[in-house]
Amino acid sequence: MIQPTLPITATSTHTSEIQAIKRDGTRAPLDITKIRTVVGWACEGTNANPISLEAGLTTRLRDGVTTREIQENLINCSLELCSPEEPDWRYVAGRLHIWNLWKETLVSRGYRYGDYPKTVARKVAADEYDERILTYTPDELVIANSWINPDWDADYDYAGAVLLTKRYLLKDELPQEAYLTCALLLASVEDREHRLQRAEQFYQAIAKRKISLATPILANLRVPGGSLSSCFITAMDDNLESIYETLTDTARISKNGGGVGVNVSRIRATSSWVMGKENASGGIIPWIKLLNDTAIAVNQGGRRAGAVTVSVDIWHLDVIEFLEMQTENGDQRRKAYDIFPQLVVPDEFMRRVIAKEDWTLVDPYEVKAKLGINLPTLWGEEFERAYQIIEAEIGKTLVLYNQINARELFKSIMRTQVETGMPYLAFKDTINRANPNQHEGYIPGVNLCCESFSNVSPSKEAHCCNLNSLNLANLEVEDLPEICRIAVRMLDNTIELTHAPFAASRAHNDKYRTIGVGAMGLADWIAKKQLSYDSLPEISHFFEEMGYWCTVASMELAKERGAYASFAGSEWSKGHLIGAKPVEWFTENSDNPERWMQLSEDIKTHGIRNSHITAIAPNTSSSLVQGCTASVLPAYSRFFYDKWAKGSVPIAPPFISDRLWFYQENKHAKQQKVVRVVSVIQQWIDTGISMELLFNLNAGVYFPDEPEKTLKAKDIFDTLVMAWQEQCKAVYYVRTVQRDDFKESGNDCTSCAN
């Protein structure tokens, strides 16, 4: 509640003598009651005491102070008061930041909320809003205006409020206007009779933070000509035309803010033949360096550096140099420090790692030219048969090769991961066994965040995917039937609205209609339920419900709009469900197998709208806007400070005050537990999950009875092998926590290496 009297004073001057400079440049006596009102509003409903905030402000008032300075000082005071014991001050700072935005907008354009049609007209005229918003009549925009609830702006903590305003909002735009415009545009492809109803559903889900739109959708949907897809994967063929076409496509993707995956496994190895001349090829590294420089040069419209993950199969002869291309030693002309390396790993390699057997590295060009085997396209048993043929020809037909102990190669990978966090690992056979479109091709690797992937064909089809995420912090199981339908419908509409950045991505959209409904805030949902990450049955049940209702939603859309173009012959068309599983699997593993059997029959009859439906992204930044923990991983820490450009920002999960002890901290969690949870969730997610592993190298963390004992390399090795054995599809970053003076303290943030 707002306090009727507060002891706010100036240190050396009576407040009546202090002149404040308002935002429009005019001067007026400082009105303490206005400050008191704002402070009371910012603290209302929290455990923060407004008297403490005003006491901190008194030392900062002076004659000639600007109202902007007062507001910034209030924010800084709030951040200084924030602590593990009083975490609600981060919400006070967030509200004050939003208040600042409201006042700046009022001064700039003359009004805040209340005239949405005027906002639309101004922004369309300024070429800031896509003119497709004008498909709605002025009367419909007035109706839409009535849905806006300005109070929802006050729900953000400081980190979320700053990210929202700095990264996503346009000039002179308020949060609810951005969300409403996105909702209206997402519904604009619906039939006229129902589009306003759909738009209101979309807006409520977005504004109440039940569904989070991926960054490209939230940032680009409102502006003319924006690409809305988050993830792209392309592949280079072994010729100059394909290589330079891929570089151009990478630039186009980066320009529009997408993350890029590029597979280079088809490129001939170092010392291979070029135009019949032996020892002429420079291998994959020079082309990767060009991708590296493209990512730097085309910096996502100035928002952030381009992001490219380059994948190569682990049998490629250049793998050793690939692992070393981000080290400081060696020829700097063959280094690429700004790409994100990814190794594509078949089951056969992992089996040889466990058995300590040899592994053979070969040149794909020589293998294809001499044996007629196109090795990059193979996986599973077909790969294993071909690999046996290849190894039988080593030193005979094949002269370019390197044989190395598989365990030693894996140790080299681990060393690089501990030093740099990478390479990512993509388990090729696991991924392709779950591919519903095996009849049309194969999946060469994973995207930048390791959760989204589908068929790729050089110069013909480039994987692209549109993403959103359910905010589990704000949802219950009983919400899933409705919210999953809304999330799937949003993304299917996005495919109609996006401007694909190049022809191969457009062809992929038309053929597969790939989407990815994800999840964030699992740690918050677990804390709300007073469960733990050991509560595997409850977690499995939740994600079974999510997987089921998202699949139902896509089937229902197929009834309404038709199945995706390549449905015939797919695993879906055979009645196989999530992850290309036969319906019998659900009989043994589901809480309710009968409904899965019925869904299988419905899909065989009506088809399914989207070939891939669910994918769980890392959501590191967007989860801050959503006010929840990222993805499905445990919270890094119950309270810590994140270092931003303007200082440290307090970060804490939303229910820290009343459910603190139900938050498992990832910096102390054994990562086998994380692998086990991801494996359980993966059963119900048809694409992938961004699984980041965090190993704490400080003494005693995992061994409370042995304070001097530290994690060993074998523990990390066992965890990575376990990820493959448990049918996880990929390993995203491998991070380590290591500091000589590591101590437990609420204000002590231990940072992740790299």
Side-chain angles (χ1 to χ4, degrees), residues 289-301:
K289 186 168 175 59
L290 286 177
L291 287 166
N292 183 95
D293 295 343
T294 300
I296 296 170
V298 187
N299 60 353
Q300 300 193 5

Side-chain angles (χ1 to χ4, degrees), residues 182 196 202 213 328 395 575 657 662-663:
C182 286
L196 266 188
F202 294 170
L213 300 177
E328 296 294 336
S657 298
F662 291 97
Y663 276 105

Side-chain angles (χ1 to χ4, degrees), residues 104 118 147 155 159 198 301 330 349 427 596 628 641 671 754:
E104 295 285 355
K118 183 177 179 180
W147 307 335
D155 291 342
R198 296 291 186 195
F349 174 75
F427 298 119
W596 288 102
C628 67
Y641 285 93
Q671 294 304 287
N754 305 293

Side-chain angles (χ1 to χ4, degrees), residues 219-288:
N220 296 341
L221 176 58
R222 308 188 304 289
V223 302
S227 172
L228 310 180
S229 298
S230 298
C231 312
F232 296 83
I233 305 174
T234 67
M236 283 182 175
D237 218 342
D238 191 34
N239 58 72
L240 283 178
E241 291 75 18
S242 176
I243 290 169
Y244 280 94
E245 181 182 17
T246 302
L247 288 167
T248 301
D249 292 343
T250 299
R252 290 187 178 124
I253 295 167
S254 186
K255 173 185 175 183
N256 287 280
V260 194
V262 182
N263 182 263
V264 297
S265 295
R266 298 168 186 251
I267 302 297
R268 67 194 70 190
T270 304
S271 299
S272 187
W273 294 261
V274 177
M275 300 175 65
K277 298 177 182 179
E278 61 182 348
N279 298 321
S281 172
I284 62 175
I285 301 300
W287 309 121
I288 294 174

Side-chain angles (χ1 to χ4, degrees), residues 12 66 85 126 155 200 218 241 378 405 422 430 491 499 529 546 590 674 686 719:
S12 58
T66 68
E85 293 73 32
D155 291 342
E200 185 174 13
L218 188 54
E241 291 75 18
L378 305 182
N405 182 274
M422 297 169 285
T430 307
L491 291 181
H499 295 266
K529 301 296 179 185
M546 176 180 163
S590 169
V674 172
D686 62 4
T719 305

Side-chain angles (χ1 to χ4, degrees), residues 25-65:
T26 60
R27 297 174 69 93
L30 180 66
D31 189 342
I32 296 300
T33 60
K34 288 185 178 180
I35 299 176
R36 185 173 293 135
T37 299
V38 172
V39 168
W41 168 80
C43 294
E44 191 170 2
T46 72
N47 292 322
N49 187 342
I51 296 176
S52 300
L53 180 54
E54 294 196 14
L57 180 66
T58 56
T59 61
R60 295 170 166 87
L61 297 181
R62 70 182 192 285
D63 191 51
V65 68

Side-chain angles (χ1 to χ4, degrees), residues 242-431:
S242 176
I243 290 169
Y244 280 94
E245 181 182 17
T246 302
L247 288 167
T248 301
D249 292 343
T250 299
R252 290 187 178 124
I253 295 167
S254 186
K255 173 185 175 183
N256 287 280
V260 194
V262 182
N263 182 263
V264 297
S265 295
R266 298 168 186 251
I267 302 297
R268 67 194 70 190
T270 304
S271 299
S272 187
W273 294 261
V274 177
M275 300 175 65
K277 298 177 182 179
E278 61 182 348
N279 298 321
S281 172
I284 62 175
I285 301 300
W287 309 121
I288 294 174
K289 186 168 175 59
L290 286 177
L291 287 166
N292 183 95
D293 295 343
T294 300
I296 296 170
V298 187
N299 60 353
Q300 300 193 5
R303 289 193 298 270
R304 54 186 177 180
V308 180
T309 177
V310 178
S311 66
V312 64
D313 283 82
I314 201 164
W315 47 256
H316 197 288
L317 188 58
D318 287 345
V319 155
I320 303 298
E321 190 176 14
F322 181 79
L323 281 173
E324 296 173 348
M325 68 182 172
Q326 294 189 321
T327 61
E328 296 294 336
N329 57 303
D331 187 351
Q332 292 300 305
R333 293 171 298 178
R334 294 180 68 84
K335 300 295 180 180
Y337 296 110
D338 300 285
I339 60 97
F340 299 82
Q342 172 192 150
L343 285 175
V344 182
V345 180
D347 289 350
E348 180 63 18
F349 174 75
M350 295 303 297
R351 284 192 287 266
R352 295 193 190 190
V353 168
I354 294 170
K356 301 182 181 180
E357 295 175 352
D358 284 344
W359 181 249
T360 305
L361 308 179
V362 295
D363 170 27
Y365 174 79
E366 185 185 22
V367 168
K368 186 175 182 180
K370 294 182 177 179
L371 301 180
I373 297 173
N374 193 6
L375 197 55
T377 67
L378 305 182
W379 61 275
E381 293 180 0
E382 193 175 0
F383 168 83
E384 290 159 18
R385 288 192 296 269
Y387 202 65
Q388 288 177 355
I389 294 170
I390 290 167
E391 288 193 308
E393 296 298 322
I394 291 298
K396 303 172 186 176
T397 308
L398 302 179
V399 298
L400 284 179
Y401 65 91
N402 182 12
Q403 289 188 310
I404 184 172
N405 182 274
R407 176 75 66 96
E408 293 305 313
L409 177 55
F410 199 75
K411 287 181 180 178
S412 296
I413 294 168
M414 286 173 49
R415 279 193 291 270
T416 305
Q417 287 176 322
V418 170
E419 290 173 8
T420 70
M422 297 169 285
Y424 309 149
L425 299 179
F427 298 119
K428 189 174 186 178
D429 294 347
T430 307
I431 287 167

